[in-house]
Amino acid sequence: MPTPAAHTAHAVHADHAVRAARTAESLTADLPLTALEDLYRDLHRHPELSLHEHRTAAALAGRLRAAGFETADGIGGTGVAGILRNGDGPTVLLRADLDALPVKEETGLPYASEVDGVMHACGHDLHVTWLAGAAGALAAGRDAWSGTLFLVGQPAEESGQGAARMIADGLYERFARPDVLLGQHAVPGPAGLYPHVPGLIMAAATEIDIVVHGRGGHGSRPETTVDPVVTAAYLVTRLQTVVSREIAAGEAAVLTVGRIEAGTRHNIIPAEARIALSLRTRSEQVRERMIGAIRRIAHGECLAAGCPREPEVTVGATFPATVNDAGTDRLIAAVHGELFGAGTVFDPGPAMGSEDFPELAAGSIPYAYWFVTTTPPDVWEQAPGADLAAKLDAVPSNHSPHFAPDPSTIAPGVRTLVSGALAVLSPA
Ligand code: ZN
Ligand code: ZN
């Protein structure tokens, strides 16, 4: 039973959500959809890989300046920031990622990639379009809110570097430290749904490289060598015990050795072997525990084999777990429910995918990150399967050469951002 106080808090929350949704409706009633669709198609035709997003960054910065934002570029490499100070109130950061993937597009779209082997296969072109649309609508409607809008075009999400690079480059010292961060991602699913999770929404991912140093020699005289191939084989096998023997059954974790490399010929024992693996985890404690176990097992196997040198264990690209601030996410989910209908917002539970968006939290800033489904209605209808889960497996997903979000999701994605920002900014 809710206490009277909780009841009142809930009512205030609901009023606030209704007001933010109504204001968002009026600020986005006249979106320049033709211009936004042109921007989307232009970005889709010209994808750029992580840390090479010069053209994309310039396109976004130009839109932000035209809307009245003060902008800066080259942050952390190719990052863009735009700021609009509009009186007292919270500072809200809205983020879009800029980069494309080394994927050869097979959509057959009239606006398909013109860069061979590079494609916006994760929908970041749509994210930039959404952000540009939200910038225009919120700037034009600045009489309706007060506070500071801080828009970020972040490079290198796919490689997990961009957010951390922007923070290291003084993003918050140069502009402002935000009070709340908001982000959203295009995902498969019948266009018109807004999945929200008031807590853990995306897993952490960690890439690890191990080099085993042996002593090379002739294949006929193993007694004069330390064979790194055999040690690497034991290591790969033993690593399978990390999840099965060291992590509690109730935890979700994946350890995959995706690459193993050693040697040149049949009769040469090589001097080293290399192993590359990736981890997916849902808590920092489990991640730390797995990294510790991997280091221990690598050192143990090399010690057992008599390797002349200790192995090198390098923790590479890392994506932290994405854990929404429950209060912020519930508020924004309520606003989206108000805007699009309660049935369009639901909690799908955490995904095993990963994001570097949480790096922007710099340890303590609360954030909300949600999904926007973008599969075109006809593609969804024709997909085999009786229920949502079966159809989801059948339609093109992020990173697929066939991933093609419906341009009709441009307006809704602008509205989710505008209404989310209004939920946090002060009403005028
Ligand atoms: Zn991606
Ligand atoms: Zn992505």
Side-chain angles (χ1 to χ4, degrees), residues 50-402:
S50 306
L51 296 176
H52 296 273
E53 311 93 330
H54 300 283
R55 188 182 183 281
T56 312
L60 176 62
R63 295 298 190 293
L64 299 185
R65 271 194 300 277
F69 285 74
E70 173 198 328
T71 67
D73 55 17
I75 306 166
T78 41
V80 172
I83 202 143
L84 182 62
R85 298 179 208 275
N86 188 37
D88 292 340
T91 297
V92 182
L93 185 151
L94 309 185
R95 174 266 209 173
D97 36 15
L98 307 174
D99 53 332
L101 286 159
V103 170
K104 188 170 172 56
E105 180 157 355
E106 292 173 24
T107 60
L109 288 167
Y111 52 93
S113 171
E114 293 175 4
V115 185
D116 194 33
V118 183
M119 176 188 175
H120 266 298
C122 202
H124 298 184
D125 46 354
L126 191 54
H127 303 175
V128 173
T129 307
W130 286 337
L131 189 67
L138 285 161
R142 73 186 79 177
D143 289 349
W145 56 272
S146 98
T148 297
L149 261 182
F150 188 176
L151 307 195
V152 165
Q154 183 214 297
E157 186 281 326
E158 296 293 354
S159 60
Q161 303 165 283
R165 287 178 65 123
M166 287 188 86
I167 296 295
D169 202 10
L171 180 66
Y172 297 158
E173 289 75 23
R174 286 159 69 176
F175 300 97
R177 187 174 170 93
D179 297 298
V180 174
L181 319 175
L182 304 180
Q184 56 181 7
H185 207 297
V187 289
L193 298 178
Y194 309 94
H196 273 267
V197 184
L200 178 88
I201 183 165
M202 303 266 269
T206 307
E207 294 179 353
I208 296 181
D209 289 277
I210 303 174
V211 184
V212 173
H213 296 288
R215 188 163 50 240
H218 200 282
S220 67
R221 298 188 66 218
E223 73 279 12
T224 65
T225 73
V226 176
D227 188 344
V229 173
V230 174
T231 304
Y234 276 121
L235 184 46
V236 170
T237 307
R238 177 96 191 201
L239 286 171
Q240 307 310 309
T241 65
V242 173
V243 174
S244 72
R245 302 292 84 191
E246 299 200 37
I247 304 300
E251 298 282 355
V254 179
L255 185 160
T256 293
V257 177
R259 184 173 153 85
I260 175 165
E261 182 190 4
T264 51
R265 290 191 47 143
H266 306 68
N267 62 348
I268 301 171
I269 293 172
E272 65 176 37
R274 291 169 179 270
I275 294 167
L277 55 104
S278 95
L279 312 182
R280 300 282 168 154
T281 51
R282 287 179 176 173
S283 83
E284 190 55 32
Q285 294 89 319
V286 170
R287 177 176 172 275
E288 290 301 319
R289 181 150 189 186
M290 288 175 80
I291 293 172
I294 290 161
R295 288 188 192 281
R296 195 189 67 237
I297 289 169
H299 282 84
E301 286 300 339
C302 291
L303 183 69
C307 290
R309 278 167 61 197
E310 295 208 323
E312 289 157 42
V313 179
T314 310
V315 178
T318 297
F319 297 81
T322 305
V323 185
N324 282 324
D325 175 63
T328 306
D329 187 69
R330 284 202 184 96
L331 171 63
I332 289 166
V335 174
H336 291 165
E338 199 50 55
L339 199 51
F340 299 105
T344 65
V345 176
F346 66 101
D347 179 351
M352 267 339 235
S354 306
E355 251 292 346
D356 75 342
F357 174 73
E359 300 278 6
L360 294 173
S364 61
I365 304 170
Y367 58 83
Y369 181 94
W370 61 88
F371 298 125
V372 176
T373 57
T374 59
T375 305
D378 56 324
V379 174
W380 184 258
E381 247 145 60
Q382 285 156 26
D387 58 10
L388 190 104
K391 280 179 176 282
L392 268 181
D393 287 345
V395 297
S397 65
N398 303 70
H399 294 202
S400 154
H402 299 282

